[in-house]
Amino acid sequence: MKRKIFLVFIMMIVNLVACGSLNQNVTENSNGDKNKGSEEQKEPGKVTIYLVRHGKTILNNTDRAQGWADGPLISEGEELIHNVGKGLADIPFTAAYSSDSGRAIQTANMILEENQTDAKDLELVQKQGIREGYFGIYEGEKNEVMWGDAAKHLGYKSQEELLASGGNPIEKIMNAVSEIDPSKEAESYEELKDRAFTEFKAIADEAYQNGGGNVLVVSHGITMGTILAQIDISKLPAGSFENGSVTKLEYDGSGWNVLEVNEMKYAEVGKGKK
């Protein structure tokens, strides 16, 4: 009798151990499946970039060269950017970037502030690579002086004659300023192109690998023109990029499609909203 009880007791222990092992395996398999699911990468997807020029600043307002020099937005510039934000309010941005210049950061934050999707809470990522070109000794100088000196260096009588000469005016002006800058620190077109388009392409590639979607990028006029010239130089606007303008680009992981250039309709749409 005692032996029978002892055998029953042993069998109970064996069953308990077996059940415990089974439960452990189930838990491990469950966790393994869960971890496997959480580690799954998103499928690459098409990216739409809304490339925005910052709002009008105190240096823009006095027509001074503003590259790495920086000025805050004036009230007119703030109002414009709030309207741009309202015009883009329904766009569910998946990421937001700006240059590391204060005017670009201020602009991007205002646009996100007006957003009516989850994008409102996006963390803004600052990228030095997409800041404006550097004009050396001409930083803060009147634009007419910088452009005038560059035009004369290239053999033109005036800024207007330079702009009417054809070709890529941004390339001409950046190279001329680089050559005549006494400090020898002003960027050449090649230097600007290399840093700006490399950074911009990296932003697009990252978004593509993360599943695509809409991406906000706030940058600067000369830099935006340089970026666009690498994609489709024929789409460069005749004049400068307007403050608050939107240039819309599509990227599929290998090629680009230019959808809009220097577009002010978002500001106009936003102006009509309360």
Coordinates of all heavy atoms in Angstrom, one line a residue, residues 14-93:
V14 N 6.3 13.8 -11.6 CA 6.7 13.8 -13.1 C 5.8 14.6 -13.9 O 6.2 15.3 -14.8 CB 6.8 12.3 -13.5 CG1 7.0 12.2 -15.1 CG2 7.9 11.6 -12.8
N15 N 4.5 14.4 -13.7 CA 3.5 15.2 -14.5 C 3.6 16.7 -14.3 O 3.5 17.5 -15.2 CB 2.0 14.7 -14.1 CG 1.7 13.3 -14.6 OD1 2.3 12.9 -15.6 ND2 0.8 12.6 -13.9
L16 N 3.9 17.1 -13.0 CA 4.0 18.5 -12.7 C 5.2 19.1 -13.5 O 5.2 20.2 -14.0 CB 4.1 18.7 -11.2 CG 2.9 18.6 -10.4 CD1 3.2 18.7 -8.9 CD2 1.9 19.7 -10.8
V17 N 6.3 18.3 -13.4 CA 7.5 18.8 -14.1 C 7.3 18.9 -15.6 O 7.7 19.8 -16.3 CB 8.7 17.8 -13.9 CG1 9.9 18.1 -14.8 CG2 9.1 17.9 -12.4
A18 N 6.6 17.9 -16.2 CA 6.3 17.9 -17.6 C 5.4 19.1 -18.0 O 5.6 19.7 -19.0 CB 5.6 16.6 -18.0
C19 N 4.4 19.3 -17.2 CA 3.5 20.5 -17.4 C 4.3 21.8 -17.4 O 4.1 22.7 -18.2 CB 2.4 20.5 -16.4 SG 1.2 19.2 -16.7
G20 N 5.2 21.9 -16.4 CA 6.0 23.1 -16.3 C 6.9 23.3 -17.5 O 7.0 24.4 -18.0
S21 N 7.5 22.2 -18.0 CA 8.3 22.3 -19.2 C 7.5 22.7 -20.4 O 7.9 23.5 -21.2 CB 9.0 21.0 -19.4 OG 9.8 20.6 -18.4
L22 N 6.3 22.1 -20.5 CA 5.4 22.5 -21.6 C 5.0 23.9 -21.6 O 5.0 24.6 -22.6 CB 4.1 21.6 -21.6 CG 3.1 21.8 -22.7 CD1 3.7 21.6 -24.0 CD2 1.9 20.9 -22.5
N23 N 4.6 24.4 -20.4 CA 4.2 25.8 -20.2 C 5.4 26.7 -20.6 O 5.2 27.8 -21.2 CB 3.8 26.1 -18.8 CG 2.4 25.5 -18.5 OD1 1.6 25.2 -19.5 ND2 2.1 25.2 -17.3
Q24 N 6.6 26.3 -20.1 CA 7.8 27.1 -20.4 C 8.0 27.2 -21.9 O 8.3 28.3 -22.4 CB 9.0 26.5 -19.7 CG 10.3 27.4 -19.9 CD 11.5 26.8 -19.2 OE1 11.4 25.7 -18.6 NE2 12.5 27.6 -19.1
N25 N 7.9 26.1 -22.6 CA 8.1 26.0 -24.1 C 7.0 26.9 -24.8 O 7.3 27.7 -25.7 CB 7.9 24.6 -24.6 CG 9.1 23.8 -24.2 OD1 10.2 24.3 -23.9 ND2 9.0 22.5 -24.2
V26 N 5.8 26.9 -24.3 CA 4.7 27.7 -24.9 C 5.1 29.2 -24.7 O 4.9 30.0 -25.6 CB 3.4 27.4 -24.2 CG1 2.3 28.4 -24.7 CG2 2.9 26.0 -24.6
T27 N 5.5 29.5 -23.5 CA 5.9 30.9 -23.2 C 7.0 31.4 -24.0 O 7.0 32.4 -24.6 CB 6.2 31.1 -21.7 OG1 5.1 30.7 -20.9 CG2 6.6 32.5 -21.4
E28 N 8.1 30.5 -24.1 CA 9.2 30.8 -24.9 C 8.8 31.0 -26.4 O 9.3 31.9 -27.1 CB 10.3 29.8 -24.8 CG 11.0 29.8 -23.4 CD 12.0 28.6 -23.3 OE1 12.0 27.8 -24.2 OE2 12.7 28.6 -22.3
N29 N 8.0 30.1 -26.9 CA 7.5 30.2 -28.3 C 6.7 31.4 -28.5 O 6.9 32.1 -29.5 CB 6.7 29.0 -28.7 CG 7.6 27.7 -28.8 OD1 8.8 27.8 -29.0 ND2 7.0 26.5 -28.7
S30 N 5.9 31.7 -27.5 CA 5.0 32.9 -27.6 C 5.9 34.2 -27.7 O 5.7 35.1 -28.5 CB 4.0 33.0 -26.5 OG 3.3 34.2 -26.5
N31 N 6.9 34.3 -26.8 CA 7.8 35.4 -26.7 C 8.6 35.5 -28.0 O 8.9 36.6 -28.5 CB 8.7 35.3 -25.5 CG 7.9 35.6 -24.2 OD1 6.9 36.2 -24.2 ND2 8.4 35.2 -23.1
G32 N 9.0 34.3 -28.5 CA 9.8 34.3 -29.7 C 9.0 34.9 -30.8 O 9.5 35.7 -31.6
D33 N 7.8 34.5 -31.0 CA 6.9 35.0 -32.0 C 6.7 36.5 -31.9 O 6.7 37.2 -32.9 CB 5.6 34.2 -32.1 CG 5.7 32.8 -32.5 OD1 6.8 32.5 -33.1 OD2 4.8 32.0 -32.2
K34 N 6.5 36.9 -30.6 CA 6.3 38.3 -30.4 C 7.5 39.1 -30.7 O 7.4 40.2 -31.4 CB 5.9 38.5 -28.9 CG 5.6 39.9 -28.5 CD 5.2 40.1 -27.1 CE 4.9 41.5 -26.7 NZ 4.6 41.6 -25.3
N35 N 8.7 38.7 -30.3 CA 9.9 39.4 -30.6 C 10.1 39.4 -32.1 O 10.6 40.4 -32.7 CB 11.1 38.7 -29.9 CG 11.0 38.9 -28.4 OD1 10.4 39.9 -28.0 ND2 11.7 38.1 -27.7
K36 N 9.8 38.3 -32.8 CA 10.0 38.2 -34.2 C 9.1 39.2 -34.9 O 9.6 39.9 -35.8 CB 9.7 36.8 -34.7 CG 9.9 36.6 -36.2 CD 9.5 35.2 -36.6 CE 9.7 35.0 -38.1 NZ 9.3 33.6 -38.6
G37 N 7.9 39.4 -34.4 CA 7.0 40.3 -35.0 C 7.4 41.8 -34.8 O 7.3 42.6 -35.7
S38 N 8.0 42.0 -33.6 CA 8.4 43.4 -33.3 C 9.6 43.8 -34.1 O 9.9 45.0 -34.2 CB 8.6 43.6 -31.8 OG 9.7 42.7 -31.4
E39 N 10.4 42.8 -34.5 CA 11.7 43.1 -35.2 C 11.5 43.2 -36.7 O 12.4 43.5 -37.4 CB 12.7 42.0 -34.9 CG 13.2 42.0 -33.4 CD 14.1 40.9 -33.1 OE1 14.3 40.0 -34.0 OE2 14.5 40.8 -32.0
E40 N 10.2 42.9 -37.2 CA 10.0 43.0 -38.6 C 10.2 44.4 -39.1 O 9.7 45.4 -38.5 CB 8.6 42.5 -38.9 CG 8.4 41.0 -38.8 CD 7.0 40.6 -39.2 OE1 6.2 41.5 -39.5 OE2 6.7 39.4 -39.1
Q41 N 10.9 44.5 -40.2 CA 11.2 45.8 -40.8 C 10.0 46.2 -41.7 O 9.4 45.3 -42.3 CB 12.5 45.7 -41.7 CG 13.7 45.5 -40.9 CD 14.1 46.7 -40.0 OE1 13.9 47.8 -40.4 NE2 14.5 46.4 -38.8
K42 N 9.8 47.5 -41.8 CA 8.7 48.0 -42.7 C 9.2 47.8 -44.1 O 10.4 47.9 -44.4 CB 8.4 49.5 -42.4 CG 7.8 49.7 -41.1 CD 7.5 51.2 -40.9 CE 6.8 51.5 -39.6 NZ 6.5 53.0 -39.4
E43 N 8.2 47.6 -45.0 CA 8.6 47.5 -46.4 C 8.9 48.9 -46.9 O 8.2 49.9 -46.6 CB 7.4 46.9 -47.2 CG 7.1 45.5 -47.0 CD 8.2 44.6 -47.6 OE1 8.8 45.0 -48.6 OE2 8.6 43.6 -46.9
P44 N 10.0 49.0 -47.7 CA 10.3 50.3 -48.3 C 9.1 50.9 -49.0 O 8.3 50.2 -49.6 CB 11.4 50.0 -49.2 CG 12.1 48.8 -48.7 CD 10.9 48.0 -48.1
G45 N 8.9 52.2 -49.0 CA 7.8 52.8 -49.7 C 8.1 54.2 -50.3 O 9.1 54.8 -49.9
K46 N 7.3 54.6 -51.2 CA 7.5 55.9 -51.9 C 7.4 57.1 -50.9 O 6.6 57.1 -50.0 CB 6.5 56.1 -53.0 CG 6.7 57.3 -53.9 CD 5.7 57.3 -55.0 CE 5.9 56.1 -56.0 NZ 4.9 56.2 -57.1
V47 N 8.3 58.0 -51.1 CA 8.4 59.2 -50.2 C 8.0 60.5 -50.9 O 8.3 60.7 -52.1 CB 9.9 59.4 -49.7 CG1 10.0 60.6 -48.8 CG2 10.4 58.1 -49.0
T48 N 7.2 61.3 -50.3 CA 6.8 62.6 -50.8 C 7.4 63.7 -49.8 O 7.1 63.7 -48.7 CB 5.3 62.8 -50.9 OG1 4.8 61.8 -51.7 CG2 5.0 64.2 -51.5
I49 N 8.3 64.5 -50.3 CA 9.0 65.5 -49.5 C 8.4 66.8 -49.8 O 8.4 67.3 -51.0 CB 10.5 65.5 -49.8 CG1 11.1 64.1 -49.4 CG2 11.2 66.6 -49.0 CD1 12.6 64.0 -49.5
Y50 N 8.0 67.5 -48.8 CA 7.6 68.9 -48.8 C 8.7 69.8 -48.4 O 9.0 69.9 -47.2 CB 6.4 69.1 -47.9 CG 5.1 68.4 -48.4 CD1 4.9 67.0 -48.3 CD2 4.1 69.1 -49.0 CE1 3.8 66.4 -48.7 CE2 2.9 68.4 -49.5 CZ 2.8 67.1 -49.3 OH 1.7 66.4 -49.7
L51 N 9.5 70.3 -49.4 CA 10.6 71.1 -49.1 C 10.2 72.6 -49.0 O 9.8 73.2 -50.0 CB 11.7 70.9 -50.2 CG 13.0 71.6 -50.2 CD1 13.7 71.3 -48.9 CD2 13.8 71.3 -51.4
V52 N 10.4 73.2 -47.9 CA 9.8 74.5 -47.6 C 11.0 75.5 -47.3 O 11.9 75.2 -46.6 CB 8.9 74.5 -46.4 CG1 8.3 75.9 -46.1 CG2 7.8 73.4 -46.6
R53 N 10.9 76.7 -47.9 CA 11.8 77.7 -47.5 C 11.3 78.4 -46.3 O 10.1 78.7 -46.1 CB 12.0 78.7 -48.7 CG 13.1 79.7 -48.3 CD 13.2 80.9 -49.3 NE 14.3 81.8 -48.9 CZ 14.4 83.1 -49.3 NH1 13.6 83.6 -50.2 NH2 15.3 83.8 -48.8
H54 N 12.2 78.8 -45.4 CA 11.9 79.4 -44.2 C 11.1 80.8 -44.4 O 11.1 81.3 -45.5 CB 13.1 79.7 -43.3 CG 14.1 80.7 -44.0 ND1 13.9 82.0 -44.0 CD2 15.2 80.4 -44.8 CE1 14.9 82.6 -44.7 NE2 15.7 81.7 -45.2
G55 N 10.5 81.2 -43.3 CA 9.8 82.5 -43.4 C 10.7 83.7 -43.5 O 11.9 83.6 -43.2
K56 N 10.1 84.8 -43.8 CA 10.9 86.1 -44.0 C 11.5 86.5 -42.6 O 10.8 86.6 -41.6 CB 10.0 87.2 -44.5 CG 10.8 88.4 -45.0 CD 9.8 89.4 -45.7 CE 10.5 90.5 -46.3 NZ 9.6 91.5 -47.1
T57 N 12.8 86.9 -42.7 CA 13.5 87.3 -41.4 C 13.9 88.8 -41.5 O 13.7 89.5 -42.5 CB 14.8 86.5 -41.3 OG1 15.8 86.9 -42.3 CG2 14.6 85.0 -41.5
I58 N 14.5 89.2 -40.4 CA 14.9 90.6 -40.3 C 16.0 90.9 -41.3 O 16.1 92.0 -41.8 CB 15.4 91.0 -38.9 CG1 16.6 90.1 -38.5 CG2 14.3 90.9 -37.9 CD1 17.2 90.5 -37.1
L59 N 16.8 89.9 -41.7 CA 17.9 90.1 -42.7 C 17.3 90.1 -44.1 O 17.7 90.8 -45.0 CB 19.0 89.1 -42.6 CG 19.8 89.2 -41.3 CD1 20.9 88.1 -41.2 CD2 20.5 90.6 -41.3
N60 N 16.3 89.2 -44.3 CA 15.6 89.2 -45.6 C 14.9 90.6 -45.8 O 14.9 91.2 -46.9 CB 14.5 88.2 -45.7 CG 15.0 86.7 -45.7 OD1 14.4 85.9 -45.1 ND2 16.1 86.5 -46.4
N61 N 14.4 91.1 -44.7 CA 13.6 92.3 -44.8 C 14.4 93.6 -45.1 O 13.9 94.5 -45.7 CB 12.9 92.6 -43.4 CG 11.7 93.5 -43.5 OD1 10.9 93.5 -44.5 ND2 11.6 94.4 -42.5
T62 N 15.7 93.5 -44.8 CA 16.6 94.6 -45.2 C 17.5 94.2 -46.4 O 18.5 94.9 -46.6 CB 17.5 94.9 -43.9 OG1 18.2 93.8 -43.5 CG2 16.7 95.5 -42.8
D63 N 17.2 93.1 -47.1 CA 17.8 92.7 -48.3 C 19.3 92.5 -48.1 O 20.2 93.0 -48.8 CB 17.6 93.7 -49.4 CG 17.9 93.1 -50.8 OD1 17.8 91.9 -50.9 OD2 18.4 93.9 -51.7
R64 N 19.6 91.7 -47.0 CA 21.0 91.4 -46.7 C 21.3 89.9 -46.9 O 20.4 89.1 -46.7 CB 21.4 91.8 -45.3 CG 21.4 93.3 -45.1 CD 21.8 93.8 -43.7 NE 21.8 95.3 -43.7 CZ 22.9 96.0 -44.1 NH1 24.0 95.5 -44.6 NH2 22.8 97.3 -44.0
A65 N 22.6 89.6 -47.3 CA 23.0 88.2 -47.5 C 22.9 87.5 -46.2 O 23.4 87.9 -45.2 CB 24.4 88.2 -48.0
Q66 N 22.2 86.3 -46.2 CA 21.9 85.6 -45.0 C 22.2 84.1 -45.3 O 21.4 83.4 -45.8 CB 20.5 85.7 -44.6 CG 20.1 85.1 -43.3 CD 18.7 85.3 -42.9 OE1 18.3 85.4 -41.7 NE2 17.8 85.4 -43.9
G67 N 23.4 83.7 -45.1 CA 23.8 82.3 -45.3 C 23.9 81.6 -44.0 O 22.9 81.2 -43.4
W68 N 25.1 81.6 -43.4 CA 25.2 81.0 -42.0 C 24.9 82.1 -41.0 O 24.6 81.7 -39.8 CB 26.6 80.5 -41.8 CG 26.9 79.2 -42.6 CD1 26.1 78.7 -43.6 CD2 28.0 78.4 -42.5 NE1 26.6 77.6 -44.1 CE2 27.8 77.3 -43.5 CE3 29.1 78.3 -41.7 CZ2 28.7 76.3 -43.6 CZ3 30.1 77.3 -41.9 CH2 29.9 76.3 -42.8
A69 N 24.9 83.4 -41.4 CA 24.3 84.4 -40.5 C 22.8 84.1 -40.3 O 22.2 83.5 -41.2 CB 24.6 85.8 -41.1
D70 N 22.3 84.5 -39.2 CA 20.9 84.1 -39.0 C 20.1 85.3 -38.4 O 20.6 86.1 -37.6 CB 20.9 82.9 -38.0 CG 19.6 82.1 -38.0 OD1 18.9 82.2 -39.0 OD2 19.3 81.5 -37.0
G71 N 18.8 85.3 -38.7 CA 17.9 86.3 -38.1 C 16.6 85.7 -37.8 O 16.2 84.8 -38.6
P72 N 15.9 86.1 -36.8 CA 14.6 85.6 -36.5 C 13.5 86.1 -37.5 O 13.7 87.1 -38.2 CB 14.3 86.2 -35.1 CG 15.0 87.4 -35.1 CD 16.3 87.2 -35.9
L73 N 12.4 85.4 -37.6 CA 11.3 85.7 -38.5 C 10.7 87.0 -38.0 O 10.5 87.3 -36.8 CB 10.2 84.7 -38.5 CG 10.4 83.5 -39.6 CD1 11.7 82.8 -39.3 CD2 9.3 82.6 -39.5
I74 N 10.3 87.9 -38.9 CA 9.6 89.1 -38.6 C 8.1 88.7 -38.4 O 7.7 87.6 -38.8 CB 9.7 90.2 -39.6 CG1 9.3 89.8 -41.0 CG2 11.2 90.7 -39.6 CD1 9.3 90.9 -42.1
S75 N 7.3 89.6 -37.9 CA 5.8 89.2 -37.7 C 5.2 88.8 -39.0 O 4.3 87.9 -39.0 CB 5.1 90.4 -37.0 OG 5.2 91.6 -37.8
E76 N 5.5 89.5 -40.1 CA 4.9 89.1 -41.4 C 5.3 87.7 -41.8 O 4.6 86.9 -42.4 CB 5.4 90.1 -42.4 CG 5.0 89.8 -43.9 CD 5.7 90.7 -44.9 OE1 6.1 91.9 -44.5 OE2 5.9 90.3 -46.0
G77 N 6.6 87.4 -41.5 CA 7.1 86.0 -41.8 C 6.4 85.0 -41.0 O 6.1 83.9 -41.4
E78 N 6.2 85.3 -39.7 CA 5.5 84.3 -38.8 C 4.1 84.1 -39.3 O 3.6 82.9 -39.3 CB 5.5 84.9 -37.4 CG 6.9 84.9 -36.7 CD 6.8 85.4 -35.3 OE1 5.8 86.0 -34.9 OE2 7.8 85.2 -34.6
E79 N 3.4 85.1 -39.7 CA 2.0 85.0 -40.1 C 2.0 84.1 -41.4 O 1.1 83.3 -41.5 CB 1.4 86.4 -40.4 CG 0.0 86.3 -40.9 CD -0.6 87.7 -41.2 OE1 0.1 88.7 -41.0 OE2 -1.8 87.8 -41.6
L80 N 2.9 84.4 -42.3 CA 2.9 83.6 -43.5 C 3.1 82.1 -43.2 O 2.5 81.2 -43.8 CB 4.1 84.1 -44.4 CG 4.4 83.2 -45.7 CD1 3.2 83.3 -46.6 CD2 5.7 83.7 -46.4
I81 N 4.1 81.8 -42.3 CA 4.4 80.4 -42.0 C 3.2 79.7 -41.3 O 3.0 78.5 -41.5 CB 5.7 80.3 -41.2 CG1 6.9 80.8 -42.1 CG2 5.9 78.8 -40.8 CD1 7.0 80.1 -43.4
H82 N 2.6 80.4 -40.4 CA 1.4 79.9 -39.8 C 0.3 79.5 -40.9 O -0.3 78.5 -40.8 CB 0.8 80.8 -38.8 CG 1.4 80.8 -37.4 ND1 1.4 79.6 -36.7 CD2 2.1 81.7 -36.7 CE1 2.1 79.8 -35.5 NE2 2.5 81.1 -35.5
N83 N 0.2 80.3 -41.9 CA -0.7 80.0 -43.0 C -0.2 78.8 -43.8 O -1.1 78.0 -44.2 CB -0.9 81.3 -43.9 CG -1.7 82.4 -43.3 OD1 -2.5 82.1 -42.4 ND2 -1.5 83.6 -43.7
V84 N 1.1 78.7 -44.0 CA 1.6 77.5 -44.7 C 1.3 76.3 -43.9 O 0.8 75.3 -44.4 CB 3.1 77.7 -44.9 CG1 3.7 76.4 -45.5 CG2 3.5 78.8 -45.8
G85 N 1.5 76.4 -42.6 CA 1.1 75.3 -41.7 C -0.3 74.9 -41.8 O -0.6 73.7 -41.8
K86 N -1.2 75.9 -41.8 CA -2.6 75.6 -41.9 C -2.9 74.9 -43.3 O -3.8 74.0 -43.4 CB -3.4 76.9 -41.8 CG -3.4 77.4 -40.4 CD -4.1 78.8 -40.3 CE -4.0 79.4 -38.9 NZ -4.6 80.7 -38.8
G87 N -2.2 75.4 -44.3 CA -2.4 74.8 -45.7 C -1.9 73.3 -45.7 O -2.4 72.6 -46.6
L88 N -1.0 73.0 -44.9 CA -0.5 71.6 -44.8 C -1.0 70.8 -43.6 O -0.5 69.7 -43.3 CB 1.1 71.7 -44.7 CG 1.8 72.3 -45.9 CD1 3.3 72.5 -45.5 CD2 1.7 71.4 -47.1
A89 N -2.0 71.4 -43.0 CA -2.5 70.8 -41.7 C -3.0 69.4 -41.8 O -2.9 68.6 -40.8 CB -3.6 71.7 -41.1
D90 N -3.4 69.0 -42.9 CA -4.0 67.6 -43.0 C -3.0 66.6 -43.6 O -3.3 65.5 -43.8 CB -5.2 67.6 -44.0 CG -6.4 68.5 -43.4 OD1 -6.5 68.5 -42.2 OD2 -7.1 69.1 -44.2
I91 N -1.7 67.0 -43.8 CA -0.7 66.1 -44.3 C -0.1 65.3 -43.1 O 0.5 65.9 -42.2 CB 0.4 66.9 -45.0 CG1 -0.1 67.8 -46.1 CG2 1.5 65.9 -45.5 CD1 -0.8 67.0 -47.2
P92 N -0.3 64.0 -43.1 CA 0.3 63.2 -42.0 C 1.8 62.9 -42.1 O 2.2 61.8 -42.5 CB -0.6 61.9 -42.1 CG -0.8 61.8 -43.5 CD -1.0 63.2 -44.1
F93 N 2.6 63.9 -41.8 CA 4.0 63.7 -42.0 C 4.5 62.6 -41.1 O 4.0 62.4 -40.0 CB 4.7 65.0 -41.6 CG 4.5 66.2 -42.5 CD1 3.8 67.3 -42.0 CD2 4.9 66.2 -43.8 CE1 3.5 68.4 -42.9 CE2 4.6 67.3 -44.7 CZ 3.9 68.4 -44.2

